[in-house]
Amino acid sequence: RAGLGMELEEDVSGGGEDNGRNGYRAKTVKTEAGPVTVSVPRDRAGTFEPVLVPKGSRRTSGISDQVISLYASGMSVRDIARHLDRSMGIEVSHDTISKITDGVLEEVKAWQARPLEAIYPVVFVDALVAKVRDGGSVRNKAVNTAVGVDCEGIKHVLGIWVAPAEGAKAWAQAFAQLRNRGLEDVLICCCDGLAGLGEEITAAWPAATVQTCVVHLCRAAMRYAGYADLKAMAAAMRPVYTACDMNAAEAALLEFADSELGRKYPASVSVWERAWDRFIPFLEFAPPIRKVIYTTNAIESFNRQMRKIIKTRGHFPNDDALVKLLWLGIVDIEDRRAAERAAQAGKPKNKQNAPGHLIEGAVTQGWREALAAFDAKWPGRIPVTAI
């Protein structure tokens, strides 16, 4: 109360002789320690603006931070209200919690519309599924995600888009947004075997090379094999994607098709044959490039973490709520991992086991060698300052 009085004295001292103190008014504020009643000073002119407890504020910033942190971890609005009541004795309505979390929507929109660099040598695209209310029913929607590797080898989440279903047309809209935000060129775009996706990629970036993820191909082929044959099939397919050139890869595929496993599981051979045109660009790349684009593990690990967050929610009321949660989840995970790394900063290297970046800010291993290989294969497309 004394501090609030000092604020008023300073304010009134420059406000003219017609103004002055006019007592106090009681106000109850929700804090981490429970409801607290404070006395807010008033002036006759009604011009005094409290700083410690602003007008209209009914809770401290600590509660808002706590609500956002709990929401980012995947807790529902109902669970957050119950947690605050049990742990702190604070009753916060569901509408208030929703308003607190909606406060980050402007940040999310700014993040989604932020300018991008003119070129990302490698872009990975993938999707996951979430339940979202659409009218009077709940339906599965696709959450399309793009991760780019910039010229310094740093990974970035370029955007998150919610679409009625995973399809090439939905990706076309996402690619158009990326172009509008400044992404003019992509050397290699890695994706799964979604029909029509390659055509939409080259429509957005005509000089881009579309590369089917090798790991996706192997998993699709092994889906037809029995459990006892999985290891043997993985070993049998390895000569195909490790071949030095297309002729060697074709010979390895024919050998696999003519083997006992190939004759036992012809559907697995067909997976490779159908995807062959989208796979063979991989065989033309130098080993440093192959190591970078061999798998979409980076974006798949990201999606795995996002699934952990959304699986506790039955469904989302709208698309904005889904994107908001995913964005908060990214920020929350990166902050927690950064805190763990900071806590272990003084320890010997062999004692540091803190996790690295989820995606944002992660460094691609072997990037300098890959960058030189990119420039050798596509002269002039990599900025000179990056080489």
Side-chain angles (χ1 to χ4, degrees):
R1 180 167 176 170
L4 295 174
M6 290 176 62
E7 289 180 354
L8 182 57
E9 289 175 359
E10 294 174 0
D11 183 79
V12 173
S13 63
E17 297 180 357
D18 295 337
N19 198 9
R21 296 187 182 183
N22 191 27
Y24 298 86
R25 60 182 178 86
K27 181 177 182 178
T28 301
V29 181
K30 296 176 180 178
T31 72
E32 291 83 346
V36 174
T37 301
V38 297
S39 296
V40 182
R42 299 181 300 186
D43 62 337
R44 292 189 177 91
T47 58
F48 174 62
E49 294 288 342
V51 175
L52 298 180
V53 185
K55 287 183 178 179
S57 175
R58 291 290 178 180
R59 61 181 181 273
T60 62
S61 60
I63 291 182
S64 298
D65 295 341
Q66 184 79 353
V67 167
I68 291 175
S69 177
L70 294 172
Y71 189 87
S73 66
M75 292 181 66
S76 66
V77 170
R78 188 182 302 276
D79 291 336
I80 293 173
R82 187 181 300 113
H83 173 79
L84 294 176
D85 187 24
R86 290 179 177 178
S87 62
M88 301 180 183
I90 302 173
E91 294 185 5
V92 182
S93 68
H94 296 174
D95 288 342
T96 299
I97 293 174
S98 296
K99 289 179 181 178
I100 292 174
T101 56
D102 284 345
V104 304
L105 281 177
E106 290 302 320
E107 294 181 58
V108 175
K109 292 178 180 179
W111 176 76
Q112 285 280 63
R114 74 193 189 279
L116 300 175
E117 296 185 15
I119 178 173
Y120 285 82
V122 181
V123 172
F124 300 93
V125 297
D126 200 4
L128 54 85
V129 177
K131 295 184 181 297
V132 182
R133 180 168 292 281
D134 187 1
S137 61
V138 175
R139 58 181 297 182
N140 288 332
K141 289 193 174 184
V143 183
N144 296 333
T145 307
V147 172
V149 184
D150 65 18
C151 290
E152 298 298 324
I154 308 298
K155 298 185 180 74
H156 304 277
V157 180
L158 303 183
I160 299 174
W161 303 270
V162 179
E166 185 180 10
K169 294 303 179 184
W171 275 112
Q173 296 176 5
F175 296 150
Q177 289 185 23
L178 293 177
R179 284 196 61 89
N180 292 337
R181 289 164 54 193
L183 178 51
E184 299 175 358
D185 193 14
V186 173
L187 300 187
I188 301 174
C189 188
C190 298
C191 58
D192 57 16
L194 182 65
L197 180 55
E199 289 77 3
E200 297 298 344
I201 293 172
T202 53
W205 302 285
T209 298
V210 180
Q211 176 61 56
T212 295
C213 171
V214 176
V215 172
H216 271 100
L217 271 179
C218 293
R219 289 175 181 170
M222 294 171 68
R223 189 178 298 124
Y224 300 98
Y227 180 79
D229 295 326
L230 290 180
K231 289 186 178 180
M233 180 169 281
M237 292 188 296
R238 182 176 176 80
V240 179
Y241 60 81
T242 58
C244 60
D245 56 30
M246 187 171 64
N247 292 332
E250 289 179 346
L253 181 60
L254 290 174
E255 183 178 350
F256 170 58
D258 195 43
S259 67
E260 181 180 352
L261 284 173
R263 292 192 298 271
K264 185 177 180 180
Y265 303 110
S268 297
V269 178
S270 297
V271 169
W272 283 93
E273 292 174 344
R274 290 193 300 269
W276 194 251
D277 290 340
R278 300 190 303 273
F279 163 70
I280 54 177
F282 180 82
L283 303 172
E284 302 175 1
F285 300 137
I289 298 179
R290 290 191 185 191
K291 290 180 181 179
V292 172
I293 68 169
Y294 166 73
T295 176
T296 56
N297 276 349
I299 194 169
E300 287 178 351
S301 63
F302 166 77
N303 283 345
R304 187 164 52 250
Q305 292 294 329
M306 296 300 100
R307 288 189 186 97
K308 290 181 180 179
I309 295 174
I310 65 177
K311 73 178 181 180
T312 58
R313 313 289 291 271
H315 65 274
F316 294 86
N318 50 56
D319 295 351
D320 285 343
L322 174 56
V323 176
K324 175 180 66 175
L325 176 63
L326 294 177
W327 182 82
L328 285 172
I330 296 171
V331 174
D332 183 63
I333 292 172
E334 296 291 11
D335 286 348
R336 284 191 283 109
R337 292 189 175 191
E340 292 181 42
R341 291 193 298 270
Q344 298 183 9
K347 296 182 179 180
K349 292 292 185 181
N350 59 351
K351 299 292 184 180
Q352 296 182 12
N353 57 2
H357 296 271
L358 175 62
I359 277 191
E360 195 68 32
V363 179
T364 304
Q365 297 298 319
W367 181 251
R368 301 310 301 177
E369 295 81 1
L371 194 64
F374 282 132
D375 186 60
K377 185 169 181 59
W378 294 288
R381 291 178 66 181
I382 299 292
V384 177
T385 55
I387 303 174

